[in-house]
Amino acid sequence: MLANWPRHCAADFGDVTRLPHWEKAAGFEAVHTESAKNAATMRICIDAMDLVHGGGVGRVVLVSSDRDFTHLAQNLRTKGMNVLGLGEPKTHESFRKACSKFVELGGVAKPVPAVETPEQQIAAFVKTEGKGGMLITALSVQMRMKHGFLIGTHELKNWHRYLSAKPQLYDLEPKGPTARVRLRRS
């Protein structure tokens, strides 16, 4: 929270040209600080000290993993402020210790790719070939190239045996170089 700002408002400091659409985010105010080195850090420090001297604020929350805020946190605490730090696991110990309390954030959640079973991978390849199905030799090449699936390392050792073991999923044409696999219709 900054001087003369509503208590429910938060600020994001930096070069606003690198923050498209932040001006539309409810509850946030973008404070443009140009793109000079440490300009945003300096502006945050100035505004935080203005808060202290203006009175009426008992806690400052610094959301950063930047140890450049160590001195700010220390200075605020010597002036009786409660300083809550929030940052990533990589945050330097000096900043963590300078805060009254430091809470580690988990970072941005990254989507976990779904793990496909070999059957799902096979179905995806066979579907691309249409009603006629796919040559088993072509399936073997695709599974090896795209998924690292080597049929020779599987207990059934070859594609015809592997696919035949799943009659509920696949229809096979006779063995040989022109053998094809189609998905069984449910």
Side-chain angles (χ1 to χ4, degrees):
M1 184 176 354
L2 300 175
N4 301 321
W5 286 22
R7 291 192 177 276
H8 66 278
C9 190
D12 189 15
F13 292 83
D15 179 359
V16 296
T17 62
R18 297 176 56 191
L19 302 168
H21 309 296
W22 271 87
E23 72 280 1
K24 297 174 186 169
F28 285 89
E29 182 168 335
V31 178
H32 184 61
T33 59
E34 303 294 328
S35 58
K37 181 172 173 35
N38 293 326
T41 303
M42 291 180 70
R43 176 66 192 267
I44 290 168
C45 291
I46 292 166
D47 284 355
M49 296 313 295
D50 283 348
L51 279 173
V52 171
H53 295 294
V57 175
R59 172 182 281 174
V60 173
V61 180
L62 296 172
V63 183
S64 178
S65 298
D66 187 344
R67 74 175 173 185
D68 287 350
F69 290 108
T70 300
H71 297 296
L72 173 62
Q74 289 169 336
N75 192 290
L76 291 170
R77 287 190 64 200
T78 63
K79 301 206 178 342
M81 300 295 292
N82 182 330
V83 179
L84 174 61
L86 303 170
E88 296 174 292
K90 68 179 182 179
T91 304
H92 196 273
E93 195 63 26
S94 63
F95 178 57
R96 291 171 181 260
K97 288 181 178 178
C99 297
S100 307
K101 180 178 181 183
F102 183 86
V103 177
E104 197 172 281
L105 302 174
V108 176
K110 295 178 182 174
V112 177
V115 176
E116 293 181 315
T117 65
E119 285 68 36
Q120 291 169 319
Q121 295 166 349
I122 292 166
F125 288 128
V126 174
K127 282 179 186 175
T128 63
E129 297 296 316
K131 291 181 181 180
M134 181 177 206
L135 284 171
I136 294 174
T137 54
L139 174 64
S140 178
V141 170
Q142 290 297 319
M143 289 294 288
R144 181 176 37 86
M145 290 176 59
K146 302 269 171 120
H147 302 293
F149 188 96
L150 301 170
I151 194 64
T153 62
H154 191 274
E155 64 184 280
L156 295 175
K157 300 290 184 202
N158 76 49
W159 279 105
H160 203 276
R161 274 186 276 193
Y162 180 90
L163 298 167
S164 294
K166 300 172 188 313
Q168 71 281 12
L169 299 176
Y170 310 112
D171 284 326
L172 300 175
E173 290 186 7
K175 293 181 180 182
T178 60
R180 300 181 84 77
V181 59
R182 285 185 298 281
L183 299 178
R184 184 165 285 245
R185 295 177 195 241
S186 307

